[in-house]
Amino acid sequence: MAMVYYMKPRYTKELTLERNHSNVSIVKRVLLQEANVQDMKGHTLEKNLLNASINCEKSFGTKIMCTRQEWEHTAEKPYRCQYCEKSFKSKPGCVRHERSHTGEKPFKCQYCEKRFVEKSKCLLHERIHTGEKPFKCQYCEKRFIERSNCITHERTHTGEKPFKCQYCEKRFIERSNCITHERTHTGEKPFKCQYCEKRFIERRYCIAHERTHTGEKPFKCQYCEKRFIERSNCITHERTHTGEKPFKCQYCEKRFIERRYCITHERTHTGEKPFKCQYCEKRFIERRYCITHERTHTGEKPFKCQYCEKRFTKKSSCMSHERTHTGVKPFKCLYCEKSFSDKSNCTQHERTHNGEKSLKCQYSQRGFSENVFSLQLKTEFQIEASDPGTREQKGFCIEATVKKELKDDVARGEGPVIYPIAMFRNVFADADA
């Protein structure tokens, strides 16, 4: 057989070809590229005529590629899984799926014991061991294991968001994020827990939830013995050991361990409160604060103590309460042997060691290390009015006493708003009336 050469065409001709497919005469337009090589004319023409898709203008070098293209038009899926009802356009895709039923993982990493369903996944995993990152961003020095990750990263430079939600105006860098977002419009939750009736928008949420049933915690901190259900939680925890805070506020110098904390903090600069209560006009920086607030309207208390009948609007409150039953004190002071059942109490205690004053009066330059709540302030007013000497002896200082504004929507890591005690004089006077 003579060799086929692909050369740049000098000119093109339009050729009309009639083919009979399923008793339907289909007129195809095929671009015949002419070159000086005589053999190319015969073979290329034959290839294009035999392997031209009947549903579009495309032509292919092989019959199988042409057939697959026609399946794209007809939605035909000729390969059916022998274990379930799913069908696939290609045989390799069907074989890979069937391995999810059989548990077969024929491809083993040459550096560890992990096995994979697909060879491509195994090769990508091995790069974690070798450190190979063959794909480099064209705008910065970052390198990536996968080409797809590199392309996605480059869009953060260009601002390109090629995937648009079909229900609203939002656009996304990745197709998967767009699909997930669209499910918030449709209400679709295709992933169901195999142990209960819960359903999820994303597979990863379903997998993480199922681990709460099995108790599996596959991700272990490299600095301590703690284990985690999700890799992201493990990475975040490890930053508490390394001190790394990779996310910096664009309005000030503060840095954060997690992106979500940084985004929430930035809203304290912009004043944005995107989450509005559906029962009143209040707005919140974070969705979770809005949900918790709405329960004050509905009276819902979804979290019940496992040791008594008490119920709580917040899970954290329930967990803190349960420790009063168990006596567990998981939060240990960094400077002494004391332990606490509540993290905020531990943090407050540690300030007595390091002298940190997290509360600062907005009307003076004085700082304070403790929260003084309304009941304490009321007592303070009574002492001020009746027995100044006792007040002096006990070390009270009217100018130094402050109140923390108890807001649910203060960003984590943010200092509370505080006021001089005199501002509350009328408030407590009204309460006594």
Side-chain angles (χ1 to χ4, degrees):
M1 178 183 285
M3 295 288 290
V4 177
Y5 297 90
Y6 293 88
M7 300 178 65
K8 185 177 180 181
R10 293 188 178 176
Y11 60 92
T12 63
K13 287 183 180 178
E14 189 176 273
L15 178 71
T16 302
L17 169 70
E18 289 191 5
R19 282 176 27 178
N20 188 30
H21 183 79
S22 301
N23 297 322
V24 177
S25 180
I26 300 172
V27 178
K28 289 299 299 177
R29 298 171 61 210
V30 179
L31 291 179
L32 171 61
Q33 298 186 347
E34 289 192 350
N36 289 334
V37 182
Q38 186 64 32
D39 287 332
M40 180 183 173
K41 288 184 179 178
H43 289 286
T44 305
L45 175 59
E46 181 184 4
K47 177 191 73 174
N48 284 331
L49 298 184
L50 292 178
N51 300 322
S53 172
I54 65 173
N55 296 291
C56 68
E57 301 294 327
K58 288 186 177 180
S59 297
F60 300 89
T62 63
K63 181 72 175 175
I64 185 63
M65 293 299 292
C66 181
T67 304
R68 286 178 182 173
Q69 173 64 19
E70 289 173 355
W71 289 340
E72 292 290 336
H73 294 286
T74 62
E76 184 181 357
K77 296 180 178 181
Y79 301 102
R80 185 161 174 246
C81 171
Q82 58 182 309
Y83 303 102
C84 70
E85 299 300 313
K86 280 194 175 180
S87 296
F88 299 84
K89 292 177 181 178
S90 67
K91 188 174 182 179
C94 185
V95 171
R96 283 195 298 269
H97 167 76
E98 287 176 345
R99 288 174 184 153
S100 68
H101 292 285
T102 63
E104 181 191 6
K105 294 183 178 181
F107 305 103
K108 181 182 176 293
C109 171
Q110 58 180 310
Y111 302 101
C112 71
E113 296 304 311
K114 277 196 174 181
R115 304 188 72 91
F116 298 87
V117 170
E118 297 179 60
K119 186 175 183 178
S120 59
K121 300 293 184 188
C122 185
L123 292 173
L124 289 174
H125 167 77
E126 287 176 346
R127 286 176 183 159
I128 296 172
H129 292 283
T130 62
E132 181 190 6
K133 294 182 178 181
F135 305 105
K136 182 183 175 293
C137 172
Q138 58 180 312
Y139 303 102
C140 71
E141 297 303 311
K142 279 195 173 181
R143 304 187 73 93
F144 298 87
I145 288 174
E146 289 187 72
R147 183 189 299 278
S148 60
N149 291 343
C150 185
I151 292 170
T152 299
H153 166 77
E154 287 176 346
R155 288 175 183 151
T156 64
H157 291 283
T158 62
E160 181 192 6
K161 293 182 178 181
F163 307 105
K164 181 183 175 293
C165 172
Q166 58 181 311
Y167 303 103
C168 71
E169 296 304 310
K170 279 195 173 181
R171 304 189 72 93
F172 298 87
I173 288 175
E174 293 184 75
R175 184 189 298 278
S176 60
N177 291 343
C178 185
I179 292 171
T180 300
H181 166 77
E182 287 175 346
R183 288 175 184 150
T184 64
H185 292 283
T186 63
E188 181 192 8
K189 293 182 177 182
F191 306 104
K192 181 183 174 294
C193 172
Q194 58 181 308
Y195 303 102
C196 70
E197 296 304 309
K198 279 195 174 180
R199 303 188 72 93
F200 299 86
I201 286 176
E202 286 190 70
R203 185 187 299 278
R204 62 190 177 109
Y205 295 144
C206 185
I207 292 171
H209 167 77
E210 287 175 344
R211 288 174 182 152
T212 63
H213 291 284
T214 62
E216 181 191 6
K217 294 184 177 181
F219 305 105
K220 181 183 175 294
C221 172
Q222 58 181 309
Y223 303 102
C224 71
E225 296 304 310
K226 277 195 175 180
R227 304 188 73 91
F228 298 86
I229 287 174
E230 293 185 74
R231 185 189 299 277
S232 59
N233 291 342
C234 185
I235 292 170
T236 300
H237 166 77
E238 287 175 345
R239 287 174 184 153
T240 64
H241 291 282
T242 62
E244 181 191 7
K245 294 182 178 180
F247 305 104
K248 182 182 175 293
C249 171
Q250 58 180 311
Y251 303 103
C252 70
E253 296 304 311
K254 280 198 173 180
R255 304 187 73 93
F256 298 86
I257 286 176
E258 288 189 69
R259 184 188 299 278
R260 62 192 175 109
Y261 295 150
C262 186
I263 292 171
T264 300
H265 164 78
E266 287 175 347
R267 289 175 183 151
T268 64
H269 290 282
T270 62
E272 181 191 6
K273 293 183 178 182
F275 306 104
K276 181 183 174 293
C277 172
Q278 57 181 312
Y279 303 104
C280 70
E281 296 304 310
K282 276 196 173 182
R283 304 188 72 92
F284 298 87
I285 285 175
E286 287 191 69
R287 185 188 299 279
R288 63 192 176 109
Y289 295 140
C290 186
I291 292 171
T292 301
H293 165 77
E294 287 175 346
R295 289 174 184 150
T296 64
H297 291 283
T298 63
E300 181 191 8
K301 294 184 177 181
F303 306 104
K304 180 184 176 293
C305 172
Q306 58 181 309
Y307 304 102
C308 70
E309 296 304 309
K310 278 195 175 180
R311 304 188 71 92
F312 300 85
T313 56
K314 293 194 289 185
K315 187 176 182 179
S316 58
S317 300
C318 185
M319 292 173 68
S320 294
H321 166 77
E322 287 176 344
R323 292 183 192 123
T324 64
H325 291 283
T326 62
V328 176
K329 296 183 177 181
F331 305 104
K332 185 177 179 299
C333 174
L334 295 171
Y335 306 100
C336 69
E337 296 303 312
K338 278 193 175 181
S339 294
F340 299 85
S341 59
D342 186 78
K343 187 174 183 179
S344 61
N345 290 341
C346 183
T347 302
Q348 183 173 311
H349 165 77
E350 286 173 349
R351 290 181 185 137
T352 63
H353 290 284
N354 58 31
E356 180 187 352
K357 296 181 178 180
S358 61
L359 310 181
K360 186 178 179 182
C361 177
Q362 59 174 322
Y363 299 95
S364 71
Q365 297 303 312
R366 304 192 68 170
F368 309 96
S369 59
E370 294 187 40
N371 301 339
V372 181
F373 298 96
S374 299
L375 183 59
Q376 293 171 301
L377 288 170
K378 186 174 181 179
T379 303
E380 191 64 16
F381 281 121
Q382 293 170 346
I383 295 173
E384 178 188 4
S386 61
D387 192 356
T390 306
R391 182 187 72 241
E392 295 283 336
Q393 292 170 3
K394 292 185 177 181
F396 291 114
C397 176
I398 297 303
E399 290 103 1
T401 308
V402 293
K403 178 183 181 295
K404 175 182 177 182
E405 184 181 28
L406 298 176
K407 279 189 176 180
D408 279 338
D409 60 343
V410 175
R412 184 173 297 194
E414 286 295 292
V417 180
I418 56 179
Y419 307 93
I421 192 169
M423 292 181 66
F424 301 95
R425 187 181 307 277
N426 293 335
V427 174
F428 293 129
D430 293 340
D432 290 335

